[in-house]
Amino acid sequence: MQEEPVPDMQGSRVNSSSLSPRRSWRPQLRHLLRLADTAGLLLMGLLFWSGQGVLGLDGQGRGLLLRLWLVAGLLGWLLGRREGERSPLFPERPVLFTPVWSFLISGALFLAVGRFDALPLLLPLHLLWLGLNVFLHRVVRRVSPRLRVGISATTPLMPRDAPGNRLDLTSSAVFAHPGIEYLRLNPQDPAALAQVDLLLSEPERSVSTEYRRLLAHAHVTKVPVWPKTLADEEITGKVALHLVDRQWLNAETFRSRYAPLKRVLDVTATLLALPVLLPVMAVVALVVWFNSGRPVLFWQERVGQNGQTFRIVKFRTMSADSERRGPAFARRGDQRVTPVGSFLRKFRLDELPQFWNVLRGEMSIIGPRPEQWAFAADFEESIPLYACRHWVRPGITGWAQVNQGYTDSLDQTTEKLQYDFYYVKHLSLSLDLVIVGKTLRTILTGFGSR
């Protein structure tokens, strides 16, 4: 695979007497985002006060609800900071999470004090807040300068989305990203550090003595140094299987504090969505029945959390005898798929009955895709660490689905496992929100369907 050109710092004019870090206005843009996030909190408070008047709430009740909402907004602001800063390469993301946390906390507080009459005001208010923050985030991303990252002169650069990219095969390379500019540094010139925002540290076996001295200079001059493996994860959204910490791979050690809240969110979101889901499912069921007869629903055994099996339910999209020869991957142009089934698969409408599995606790809205038992048994024998993806509940949508689509081979399943590891390792509300946004895009475009 041909490498992309990277600027070479060896011919640059650098003041050798100055070892101060590069002055970038990226931090100022992040401070602007944080200021706007705080201003948004105050603005939404004013709108909430005004909205209570429109609903006709009494004065005493308005004061109580405003205080509760301000408490929820402040907690949401603090939690949003924490969630967004999980991503070291893209620390401008916190503004996307503040409205979500504020909505969840304020809704819980209003229910606790029995003020159900104020709940209709929360959703449109926080959707407006989220929309404004998304717009601001996109504007800042457009005007923000590229992050300048220093790398060794021998480090190859690979396209991030090139077909067949495998982290376990290209672990010595860095991956291209539109928001990152890589600079090959001359280890003989420590003053070159003044031109970068951060420096990547590579595995010991591939680092020269000169580059180690450059890393030492970076520590002294306060230039951030990040492991290359961490940058790989953030850019590709995958975890290299051979770099997974074996001590971390322990189901007893892995316990996410977000998991209980995630279950509450799954049930709440499903119940709130039922007034919309039920009519849509009724229409889809009628279309399937008129097109290909009964049965309308398709039940199949899948592997869930902790390796336990359950029966997943979907709208039938294949002929009634599609599995007469045993389980098989769905491929492009699969003759078993009915004409209506192809449409349902493209826009994921066949997945709607799985909200029943969510209510039963067998699935989550977001998580790794549950595999058939026959496939899972084969994968556990042929793919190292495959069973670790069963530590969390499987999902209707997930990180691998929105980035890769469906898989139909061992190589694609190995790559999917890298996405699944990233999800298990970084399980959080912030990642789930990103997946929700990507899922909406997937539904609208039909990405990755079979």
Side-chain angles (χ1 to χ4, degrees), residues 78-92:
L78 294 173
L79 291 170
R81 301 253 69 76
R82 183 171 176 233
E83 287 285 348
E85 289 168 359
R86 291 173 183 266
S87 177
L89 282 182
F90 311 107
E92 67 272 14

Side-chain angles (χ1 to χ4, degrees), residues 191-221:
L193 289 173
Q195 303 301 307
V196 300
D197 297 308
L198 63 94
L199 189 64
L200 289 187
S201 63
E202 302 180 15
E204 286 292 327
R205 65 179 184 277
S206 60
V207 177
S208 64
T209 303
E210 293 80 5
Y211 196 74
R212 289 194 184 95
R213 282 199 287 265
L214 192 65
L215 291 172
H217 276 289
H219 286 296
V220 171
T221 57

Side-chain angles (χ1 to χ4, degrees), residues 116-366:
F116 301 94
D117 51 347
L119 293 179
L121 181 58
L122 289 182
L123 184 59
L125 179 71
H126 287 84
L127 284 177
L128 172 63
W129 191 4
L130 180 61
L132 292 174
N133 281 11
V134 168
F135 174 76
L136 180 62
H137 177 263
R138 289 189 175 274
V139 170
V140 169
R141 284 189 62 182
R142 283 186 175 274
V143 302
S144 178
R146 298 173 73 187
L147 185 70
R148 305 188 74 183
V149 177
I151 59 176
S152 169
T154 59
T155 302
L157 179 68
M158 305 290 286
R160 177 181 52 166
D161 300 321
N165 258 2
R166 294 276 295 279
L167 284 179
D168 52 343
L169 298 181
T170 60
S171 58
S172 63
V174 293
F175 292 86
H177 187 277
I180 296 176
E181 178 183 0
Y182 291 104
L183 299 177
R184 298 193 190 280
L185 301 183
N186 179 6
Q188 305 296 332
D189 183 13
L193 289 173
Q195 303 301 307
V196 300
D197 297 308
L198 63 94
L199 189 64
L200 289 187
S201 63
E202 302 180 15
E204 286 292 327
R205 65 179 184 277
S206 60
V207 177
S208 64
T209 303
E210 293 80 5
Y211 196 74
R212 289 194 184 95
R213 282 199 287 265
L214 192 65
L215 291 172
H217 276 289
H219 286 296
V220 171
T221 57
K222 309 300 183 183
V223 175
V225 177
W226 291 347
K228 191 190 77 65
T229 52
L230 179 60
D232 288 343
E233 288 185 22
E234 291 298 315
I235 293 171
T236 64
K238 297 184 284 188
V239 174
L241 300 186
H242 78 293
L243 296 177
V244 172
D245 186 353
R246 296 281 176 168
Q247 295 180 351
W248 174 75
L249 290 177
N250 185 315
E252 294 301 321
T253 303
F254 173 76
R255 287 291 183 269
S256 172
R257 289 176 291 180
Y258 170 58
L261 174 62
K262 181 179 173 67
R263 177 60 186 155
V264 173
L265 295 177
D266 282 336
V267 175
T268 303
T270 300
L271 293 177
L272 291 176
L274 281 181
V276 176
L277 292 175
L278 291 177
V280 174
M281 287 194 287
V283 172
V284 174
L286 288 174
V287 170
V288 173
W289 183 54
F290 279 118
N291 177 257
S292 55
R294 299 174 62 185
V296 171
L297 298 176
F298 175 73
W299 299 80
Q300 189 178 67
E301 190 175 73
R302 297 288 179 98
V303 180
Q305 189 176 25
N306 300 322
Q308 297 181 353
T309 58
F310 69 99
R311 296 189 71 203
I312 196 173
V313 57
K314 305 169 63 174
F315 284 119
R316 184 168 61 85
T317 58
M318 293 185 174
S319 57
D321 59 348
S322 60
E323 293 195 335
R324 65 182 184 278
R325 297 181 180 177
F329 281 114
R331 303 180 184 276
R332 294 189 184 277
D334 199 319
Q335 298 300 314
R336 299 174 300 165
V337 180
T338 64
V340 167
S342 179
F343 175 84
L344 297 180
R345 281 171 169 261
K346 181 175 182 179
F347 296 102
R348 306 307 196 270
L349 294 174
D350 61 318
E351 314 277 3
L352 292 178
Q354 291 171 35
F355 282 96
W356 168 248
N357 296 115
V358 173
L359 290 177
R360 286 173 55 87
E362 298 162 337
M363 293 181 65
S364 174
I365 295 177
I366 299 171

